[in-house]
mmCIF file of all heavy atoms in Angstrom:
data_model
loop_
_atom_site.group_PDB
_atom_site.id
_atom_site.type_symbol
_atom_site.label_atom_id
_atom_site.label_comp_id
_atom_site.label_asym_id
_atom_site.label_seq_id
_atom_site.Cartn_x
_atom_site.Cartn_y
_atom_site.Cartn_z
ATOM 1 N N GLU A 1 0.818 -1.222 0.000
ATOM 2 C CA GLU A 1 0.001 0.002 -0.004
ATOM 3 C C GLU A 1 0.852 1.271 0.000
ATOM 4 O O GLU A 1 0.342 2.376 -0.203
ATOM 5 C CB GLU A 1 -0.955 0.028 1.193
ATOM 6 C CG GLU A 1 -0.286 0.007 2.552
ATOM 7 C CD GLU A 1 -0.164 -1.412 3.122
ATOM 8 O OE1 GLU A 1 -0.148 -2.368 2.322
ATOM 9 O OE2 GLU A 1 -0.118 -1.528 4.365
ATOM 10 N N ASN A 2 2.162 1.119 0.244
ATOM 11 C CA ASN A 2 3.061 2.265 0.231
ATOM 12 C C ASN A 2 3.809 2.414 -1.088
ATOM 13 O O ASN A 2 4.727 3.233 -1.197
ATOM 14 C CB ASN A 2 4.085 2.159 1.368
ATOM 15 C CG ASN A 2 3.458 2.213 2.744
ATOM 16 O OD1 ASN A 2 3.754 1.397 3.610
ATOM 17 N ND2 ASN A 2 2.555 3.170 2.956
ATOM 18 N N LEU A 3 3.427 1.626 -2.083
ATOM 19 C CA LEU A 3 4.125 1.624 -3.371
ATOM 20 C C LEU A 3 3.230 2.142 -4.483
ATOM 21 O O LEU A 3 2.018 1.924 -4.473
ATOM 22 C CB LEU A 3 4.580 0.213 -3.730
ATOM 23 C CG LEU A 3 5.668 -0.426 -2.860
ATOM 24 C CD1 LEU A 3 5.799 -1.906 -3.189
ATOM 25 C CD2 LEU A 3 7.006 0.277 -3.068
ATOM 26 N N MET A 4 3.841 2.806 -5.460
ATOM 27 C CA MET A 4 3.153 3.107 -6.707
ATOM 28 C C MET A 4 4.162 3.023 -7.855
ATOM 29 O O MET A 4 5.375 3.145 -7.637
ATOM 30 C CB MET A 4 2.478 4.486 -6.682
ATOM 31 C CG MET A 4 3.405 5.666 -6.787
ATOM 32 S SD MET A 4 2.480 7.223 -7.084
ATOM 33 C CE MET A 4 1.848 6.936 -8.743
ATOM 34 N N PHE A 5 3.670 2.813 -9.064
ATOM 35 C CA PHE A 5 4.532 2.579 -10.216
ATOM 36 C C PHE A 5 4.203 3.568 -11.318
ATOM 37 O O PHE A 5 3.076 4.062 -11.423
ATOM 38 C CB PHE A 5 4.376 1.131 -10.702
ATOM 39 C CG PHE A 5 4.799 0.138 -9.671
ATOM 40 C CD1 PHE A 5 3.911 -0.261 -8.672
ATOM 41 C CD2 PHE A 5 6.089 -0.342 -9.637
ATOM 42 C CE1 PHE A 5 4.310 -1.151 -7.682
ATOM 43 C CE2 PHE A 5 6.493 -1.229 -8.643
ATOM 44 C CZ PHE A 5 5.604 -1.626 -7.665
ATOM 45 N N ALA A 6 5.200 3.855 -12.144
ATOM 46 C CA ALA A 6 5.014 4.890 -13.154
ATOM 47 C C ALA A 6 5.926 4.627 -14.346
ATOM 48 O O ALA A 6 6.732 3.691 -14.360
ATOM 49 C CB ALA A 6 5.302 6.264 -12.559
ATOM 50 N N ASN A 7 5.784 5.505 -15.332
ATOM 51 C CA ASN A 7 6.553 5.423 -16.572
ATOM 52 C C ASN A 7 7.946 6.016 -16.346
ATOM 53 O O ASN A 7 8.267 7.098 -16.833
ATOM 54 C CB ASN A 7 5.797 6.181 -17.670
ATOM 55 C CG ASN A 7 6.428 6.008 -19.033
ATOM 56 O OD1 ASN A 7 7.242 6.824 -19.454
ATOM 57 N ND2 ASN A 7 6.045 4.962 -19.724
ATOM 58 N N GLY A 8 8.749 5.322 -15.549
ATOM 59 C CA GLY A 8 10.076 5.811 -15.206
ATOM 60 C C GLY A 8 10.054 6.715 -13.988
ATOM 61 O O GLY A 8 9.002 7.204 -13.559
ATOM 62 N N ALA A 9 11.242 6.947 -13.409
ATOM 63 C CA ALA A 9 11.349 7.825 -12.240
ATOM 64 C C ALA A 9 10.928 9.250 -12.575
ATOM 65 O O ALA A 9 10.386 9.962 -11.725
ATOM 66 C CB ALA A 9 12.784 7.822 -11.719
ATOM 67 N N SER A 10 11.128 9.667 -13.825
ATOM 68 C CA SER A 10 10.786 11.035 -14.210
ATOM 69 C C SER A 10 9.307 11.323 -14.007
ATOM 70 O O SER A 10 8.932 12.424 -13.594
ATOM 71 C CB SER A 10 11.168 11.282 -15.674
ATOM 72 O OG SER A 10 12.571 11.255 -15.826
ATOM 73 N N GLU A 11 8.447 10.335 -14.284
ATOM 74 C CA GLU A 11 7.025 10.552 -14.068
ATOM 75 C C GLU A 11 6.708 10.667 -12.572
ATOM 76 O O GLU A 11 5.843 11.447 -12.168
ATOM 77 C CB GLU A 11 6.191 9.433 -14.684
ATOM 78 C CG GLU A 11 4.693 9.727 -14.623
ATOM 79 C CD GLU A 11 3.825 8.650 -15.253
ATOM 80 O OE1 GLU A 11 4.047 7.450 -14.991
ATOM 81 O OE2 GLU A 11 2.900 9.027 -15.988
ATOM 82 N N ILE A 12 7.431 9.909 -11.751
ATOM 83 C CA ILE A 12 7.230 10.008 -10.289
ATOM 84 C C ILE A 12 7.556 11.418 -9.818
ATOM 85 O O ILE A 12 6.819 12.014 -9.020
ATOM 86 C CB ILE A 12 8.122 8.986 -9.552
ATOM 87 C CG1 ILE A 12 7.734 7.552 -9.912
ATOM 88 C CG2 ILE A 12 8.060 9.211 -8.058
ATOM 89 C CD1 ILE A 12 6.484 7.054 -9.264
ATOM 90 N N PHE A 13 8.680 11.973 -10.285
ATOM 91 C CA PHE A 13 9.060 13.329 -9.878
ATOM 92 C C PHE A 13 7.956 14.325 -10.256
ATOM 93 O O PHE A 13 7.598 15.197 -9.455
ATOM 94 C CB PHE A 13 10.376 13.751 -10.547
ATOM 95 C CG PHE A 13 11.559 12.907 -10.153
ATOM 96 C CD1 PHE A 13 12.452 12.446 -11.111
ATOM 97 C CD2 PHE A 13 11.789 12.579 -8.830
ATOM 98 C CE1 PHE A 13 13.539 11.667 -10.755
ATOM 99 C CE2 PHE A 13 12.886 11.792 -8.463
ATOM 100 C CZ PHE A 13 13.757 11.343 -9.434
ATOM 101 N N LYS A 14 7.431 14.193 -11.441
ATOM 102 C CA LYS A 14 6.380 15.122 -11.886
ATOM 103 C C LYS A 14 5.109 14.950 -11.057
ATOM 104 O O LYS A 14 4.488 15.945 -10.651
ATOM 105 C CB LYS A 14 6.072 14.911 -13.365
ATOM 106 C CG LYS A 14 4.918 15.783 -13.859
ATOM 107 C CD LYS A 14 4.786 15.794 -15.343
ATOM 108 C CE LYS A 14 3.524 16.528 -15.796
ATOM 109 N NZ LYS A 14 3.396 17.877 -15.213
ATOM 110 N N LEU A 15 4.723 13.703 -10.801
ATOM 111 C CA LEU A 15 3.511 13.459 -10.026
ATOM 112 C C LEU A 15 3.645 14.014 -8.608
ATOM 113 O O LEU A 15 2.700 14.588 -8.059
ATOM 114 C CB LEU A 15 3.206 11.963 -9.983
ATOM 115 C CG LEU A 15 2.784 11.322 -11.312
ATOM 116 C CD1 LEU A 15 2.718 9.808 -11.178
ATOM 117 C CD2 LEU A 15 1.430 11.869 -11.770
ATOM 118 N N ALA A 16 4.820 13.846 -8.019
ATOM 119 C CA ALA A 16 5.043 14.360 -6.657
ATOM 120 C C ALA A 16 4.937 15.877 -6.630
ATOM 121 O O ALA A 16 4.301 16.462 -5.738
ATOM 122 C CB ALA A 16 6.408 13.909 -6.145
ATOM 123 N N VAL A 17 5.562 16.530 -7.608
ATOM 124 C CA VAL A 17 5.514 17.994 -7.669
ATOM 125 C C VAL A 17 4.095 18.476 -7.943
ATOM 126 O O VAL A 17 3.605 19.423 -7.316
ATOM 127 C CB VAL A 17 6.492 18.518 -8.746
ATOM 128 C CG1 VAL A 17 6.246 19.997 -9.030
ATOM 129 C CG2 VAL A 17 7.935 18.310 -8.288
ATOM 130 N N ASP A 18 3.401 17.821 -8.857
ATOM 131 C CA ASP A 18 2.036 18.230 -9.186
ATOM 132 C C ASP A 18 1.090 18.049 -7.992
ATOM 133 O O ASP A 18 0.145 18.824 -7.809
ATOM 134 C CB ASP A 18 1.511 17.428 -10.381
ATOM 135 C CG ASP A 18 2.157 17.861 -11.690
ATOM 136 O OD1 ASP A 18 2.813 18.917 -11.698
ATOM 137 O OD2 ASP A 18 2.013 17.142 -12.699
ATOM 138 N N ALA A 19 1.341 17.012 -7.193
ATOM 139 C CA ALA A 19 0.474 16.747 -6.039
ATOM 140 C C ALA A 19 0.750 17.703 -4.883
ATOM 141 O O ALA A 19 -0.164 18.161 -4.204
ATOM 142 C CB ALA A 19 0.649 15.305 -5.574
ATOM 143 N N ILE A 20 2.019 18.027 -4.676
ATOM 144 C CA ILE A 20 2.402 18.885 -3.547
ATOM 145 C C ILE A 20 2.246 20.368 -3.879
ATOM 146 O O ILE A 20 1.933 21.175 -3.012
ATOM 147 C CB ILE A 20 3.854 18.563 -3.109
ATOM 148 C CG1 ILE A 20 3.911 17.138 -2.529
ATOM 149 C CG2 ILE A 20 4.374 19.577 -2.095
ATOM 150 C CD1 ILE A 20 5.314 16.601 -2.358
ATOM 151 N N LYS A 21 2.473 20.708 -5.157
ATOM 152 C CA LYS A 21 2.390 22.101 -5.610
ATOM 153 C C LYS A 21 3.299 23.017 -4.780
ATOM 154 O O LYS A 21 2.835 23.986 -4.133
ATOM 155 C CB LYS A 21 0.947 22.610 -5.558
ATOM 156 C CG LYS A 21 0.008 21.932 -6.548
ATOM 157 C CD LYS A 21 -1.395 22.513 -6.467
ATOM 158 C CE LYS A 21 -2.287 21.962 -7.568
ATOM 159 N NZ LYS A 21 -2.408 20.493 -7.555
ATOM 160 N N PRO A 22 4.597 22.756 -4.774
ATOM 161 C CA PRO A 22 5.505 23.573 -3.956
ATOM 162 C C PRO A 22 5.645 24.996 -4.501
ATOM 163 O O PRO A 22 5.614 25.220 -5.715
ATOM 164 C CB PRO A 22 6.834 22.811 -4.073
ATOM 165 C CG PRO A 22 6.752 22.139 -5.407
ATOM 166 C CD PRO A 22 5.317 21.742 -5.567
ATOM 167 N N HIS A 23 5.794 25.928 -3.587
ATOM 168 C CA HIS A 23 6.091 27.307 -3.982
ATOM 169 C C HIS A 23 7.593 27.492 -4.184
ATOM 170 O O HIS A 23 8.026 28.251 -5.042
ATOM 171 C CB HIS A 23 5.590 28.288 -2.915
ATOM 172 C CG HIS A 23 4.098 28.297 -2.768
ATOM 173 N ND1 HIS A 23 3.266 28.803 -3.726
ATOM 174 C CD2 HIS A 23 3.300 27.817 -1.775
ATOM 175 C CE1 HIS A 23 2.013 28.664 -3.342
ATOM 176 N NE2 HIS A 23 2.002 28.065 -2.161
ATOM 177 N N LYS A 24 8.363 26.761 -3.366
ATOM 178 C CA LYS A 24 9.817 26.882 -3.439
ATOM 179 C C LYS A 24 10.451 25.539 -3.106
ATOM 180 O O LYS A 24 9.990 24.824 -2.217
ATOM 181 C CB LYS A 24 10.315 27.947 -2.455
ATOM 182 C CG LYS A 24 11.794 28.298 -2.588
ATOM 183 C CD LYS A 24 12.220 29.292 -1.517
ATOM 184 C CE LYS A 24 11.540 30.637 -1.700
ATOM 185 N NZ LYS A 24 12.027 31.631 -0.700
ATOM 186 N N ALA A 25 11.507 25.186 -3.835
ATOM 187 C CA ALA A 25 12.190 23.906 -3.607
ATOM 188 C C ALA A 25 13.695 24.110 -3.575
ATOM 189 O O ALA A 25 14.228 25.033 -4.200
ATOM 190 C CB ALA A 25 11.825 22.903 -4.701
ATOM 191 N N LEU A 26 14.365 23.245 -2.833
ATOM 192 C CA LEU A 26 15.828 23.234 -2.790
ATOM 193 C C LEU A 26 16.330 22.025 -3.560
ATOM 194 O O LEU A 26 15.878 20.896 -3.331
ATOM 195 C CB LEU A 26 16.335 23.171 -1.347
ATOM 196 C CG LEU A 26 17.865 23.182 -1.208
ATOM 197 C CD1 LEU A 26 18.426 24.561 -1.532
ATOM 198 C CD2 LEU A 26 18.293 22.763 0.201
ATOM 199 N N VAL A 27 17.269 22.267 -4.477
ATOM 200 C CA VAL A 27 17.858 21.216 -5.301
ATOM 201 C C VAL A 27 19.369 21.317 -5.182
ATOM 202 O O VAL A 27 19.918 22.422 -5.244
ATOM 203 C CB VAL A 27 17.431 21.358 -6.780
ATOM 204 C CG1 VAL A 27 18.107 20.311 -7.646
ATOM 205 C CG2 VAL A 27 15.910 21.250 -6.909
ATOM 206 N N THR A 28 20.046 20.203 -5.002
ATOM 207 C CA THR A 28 21.508 20.247 -4.982
ATOM 208 C C THR A 28 22.035 20.417 -6.404
ATOM 209 O O THR A 28 21.407 20.023 -7.374
ATOM 210 C CB THR A 28 22.099 18.967 -4.363
ATOM 211 O OG1 THR A 28 21.671 17.831 -5.114
ATOM 212 C CG2 THR A 28 21.680 18.807 -2.916
ATOM 213 N N ALA A 29 23.214 21.030 -6.516
ATOM 214 C CA ALA A 29 23.832 21.231 -7.817
ATOM 215 C C ALA A 29 25.320 20.925 -7.719
ATOM 216 O O ALA A 29 25.976 21.413 -6.804
ATOM 217 C CB ALA A 29 23.615 22.667 -8.283
ATOM 218 N N PRO A 30 25.832 20.068 -8.608
ATOM 219 C CA PRO A 30 25.114 19.454 -9.725
ATOM 220 C C PRO A 30 24.278 18.260 -9.271
ATOM 221 O O PRO A 30 24.632 17.563 -8.332
ATOM 222 C CB PRO A 30 26.244 18.996 -10.647
ATOM 223 C CG PRO A 30 27.376 18.690 -9.713
ATOM 224 C CD PRO A 30 27.280 19.721 -8.625
ATOM 225 N N SER A 31 23.178 18.037 -9.981
ATOM 226 C CA SER A 31 22.386 16.819 -9.803
ATOM 227 C C SER A 31 21.465 16.668 -11.010
ATOM 228 O O SER A 31 21.479 17.512 -11.912
ATOM 229 C CB SER A 31 21.584 16.845 -8.493
ATOM 230 O OG SER A 31 20.639 17.897 -8.499
ATOM 231 N N PHE A 32 20.676 15.634 -11.020
ATOM 232 C CA PHE A 32 19.822 15.299 -12.150
ATOM 233 C C PHE A 32 18.931 16.489 -12.535
ATOM 234 O O PHE A 32 18.221 17.057 -11.688
ATOM 235 C CB PHE A 32 18.960 14.090 -11.782
ATOM 236 C CG PHE A 32 18.003 13.648 -12.854
ATOM 237 C CD1 PHE A 32 18.433 13.429 -14.158
ATOM 238 C CD2 PHE A 32 16.672 13.440 -12.550
ATOM 239 C CE1 PHE A 32 17.547 13.024 -15.138
ATOM 240 C CE2 PHE A 32 15.771 13.020 -13.514
ATOM 241 C CZ PHE A 32 16.212 12.816 -14.820
ATOM 242 N N SER A 33 18.957 16.849 -13.806
ATOM 243 C CA SER A 33 18.211 18.030 -14.270
ATOM 244 C C SER A 33 16.701 17.808 -14.251
ATOM 245 O O SER A 33 15.936 18.779 -14.327
ATOM 246 C CB SER A 33 18.645 18.390 -15.696
ATOM 247 O OG SER A 33 18.353 17.335 -16.598
ATOM 248 N N GLY A 34 16.266 16.559 -14.125
ATOM 249 C CA GLY A 34 14.836 16.273 -14.125
ATOM 250 C C GLY A 34 14.084 16.928 -12.985
ATOM 251 O O GLY A 34 12.898 17.252 -13.122
ATOM 252 N N TYR A 35 14.761 17.143 -11.855
ATOM 253 C CA TYR A 35 14.093 17.799 -10.717
ATOM 254 C C TYR A 35 13.712 19.236 -11.101
ATOM 255 O O TYR A 35 12.564 19.657 -10.923
ATOM 256 C CB TYR A 35 15.002 17.844 -9.482
ATOM 257 C CG TYR A 35 15.724 16.570 -9.143
ATOM 258 C CD1 TYR A 35 17.033 16.600 -8.652
ATOM 259 C CD2 TYR A 35 15.126 15.322 -9.306
ATOM 260 C CE1 TYR A 35 17.706 15.447 -8.322
ATOM 261 C CE2 TYR A 35 15.806 14.160 -8.985
ATOM 262 C CZ TYR A 35 17.098 14.229 -8.503
ATOM 263 O OH TYR A 35 17.775 13.079 -8.190
ATOM 264 N N SER A 36 14.682 19.977 -11.605
ATOM 265 C CA SER A 36 14.425 21.362 -11.982
ATOM 266 C C SER A 36 13.422 21.437 -13.127
ATOM 267 O O SER A 36 12.604 22.364 -13.187
ATOM 268 C CB SER A 36 15.732 22.053 -12.389
ATOM 269 O OG SER A 36 16.637 22.088 -11.304
ATOM 270 N N HIS A 37 13.487 20.459 -14.010
ATOM 271 C CA HIS A 37 12.576 20.436 -15.165
ATOM 272 C C HIS A 37 11.119 20.424 -14.718
ATOM 273 O O HIS A 37 10.302 21.227 -15.186
ATOM 274 C CB HIS A 37 12.891 19.216 -16.029
ATOM 275 C CG HIS A 37 11.984 19.039 -17.201
ATOM 276 N ND1 HIS A 37 12.072 19.825 -18.327
ATOM 277 C CD2 HIS A 37 10.956 18.174 -17.424
ATOM 278 C CE1 HIS A 37 11.136 19.454 -19.192
ATOM 279 N NE2 HIS A 37 10.446 18.462 -18.675
ATOM 280 N N VAL A 38 10.783 19.517 -13.793
ATOM 281 C CA VAL A 38 9.383 19.422 -13.367
ATOM 282 C C VAL A 38 9.006 20.577 -12.449
ATOM 283 O O VAL A 38 7.857 21.036 -12.463
ATOM 284 C CB VAL A 38 9.088 18.061 -12.689
ATOM 285 C CG1 VAL A 38 9.246 16.930 -13.685
ATOM 286 C CG2 VAL A 38 9.966 17.824 -11.469
ATOM 287 N N LEU A 39 9.950 21.071 -11.666
ATOM 288 C CA LEU A 39 9.665 22.207 -10.786
ATOM 289 C C LEU A 39 9.374 23.471 -11.596
ATOM 290 O O LEU A 39 8.429 24.208 -11.307
ATOM 291 C CB LEU A 39 10.840 22.448 -9.826
ATOM 292 C CG LEU A 39 10.992 21.423 -8.695
ATOM 293 C CD1 LEU A 39 12.376 21.538 -8.057
ATOM 294 C CD2 LEU A 39 9.906 21.596 -7.644
ATOM 295 N N LYS A 40 10.172 23.702 -12.627
ATOM 296 C CA LYS A 40 9.934 24.866 -13.483
ATOM 297 C C LYS A 40 8.590 24.734 -14.190
ATOM 298 O O LYS A 40 7.852 25.714 -14.339
ATOM 299 C CB LYS A 40 11.057 24.988 -14.509
ATOM 300 C CG LYS A 40 12.376 25.455 -13.915
ATOM 301 C CD LYS A 40 13.487 25.460 -14.964
ATOM 302 C CE LYS A 40 14.819 25.865 -14.350
ATOM 303 N NZ LYS A 40 15.923 25.777 -15.340
ATOM 304 N N GLY A 41 8.272 23.508 -14.632
ATOM 305 C CA GLY A 41 7.004 23.286 -15.306
ATOM 306 C C GLY A 41 5.813 23.577 -14.410
ATOM 307 O O GLY A 41 4.737 23.960 -14.887
ATOM 308 N N ALA A 42 6.005 23.398 -13.095
ATOM 309 C CA ALA A 42 4.923 23.655 -12.135
ATOM 310 C C ALA A 42 4.936 25.092 -11.612
ATOM 311 O O ALA A 42 4.107 25.458 -10.784
ATOM 312 C CB ALA A 42 5.040 22.681 -10.966
ATOM 313 N N GLY A 43 5.894 25.884 -12.080
ATOM 314 C CA GLY A 43 5.962 27.282 -11.657
ATOM 315 C C GLY A 43 6.563 27.487 -10.281
ATOM 316 O O GLY A 43 6.398 28.555 -9.682
ATOM 317 N N ALA A 44 7.279 26.472 -9.778
ATOM 318 C CA ALA A 44 7.892 26.584 -8.441
ATOM 319 C C ALA A 44 9.206 27.344 -8.515
ATOM 320 O O ALA A 44 9.943 27.250 -9.500
ATOM 321 C CB ALA A 44 8.128 25.188 -7.855
ATOM 322 N N GLY A 45 9.510 28.070 -7.461
ATOM 323 C CA GLY A 45 10.811 28.703 -7.363
ATOM 324 C C GLY A 45 11.862 27.672 -6.965
ATOM 325 O O GLY A 45 11.572 26.737 -6.215
#
């Protein structure tokens, strides 16, 4: 009941951001660009 599956990890990142709707997020740099990609798409700082 604590698991869910998706079309790759990238879809999980997007679903998490879309569900939480963050105003601001902290991302380490350098790191996977997919985090910033979905955050920018959601309008998060």
Side-chain angles (χ1 to χ4, degrees):
E1 61 266 25
N2 296 132
L3 293 169
M4 74 169 292
F5 298 84
N7 187 266
S10 293
E11 187 179 46
I12 296 284
F13 297 135
K14 176 169 173 52
L15 292 171
V17 168
D18 287 347
I20 294 167
K21 293 181 173 58
H23 295 290
K24 188 184 294 184
L26 181 72
V27 177
T28 59
S31 63
F32 179 51
S33 62
Y35 314 143
S36 298
H37 177 75
V38 295
L39 287 164
K40 288 176 183 176

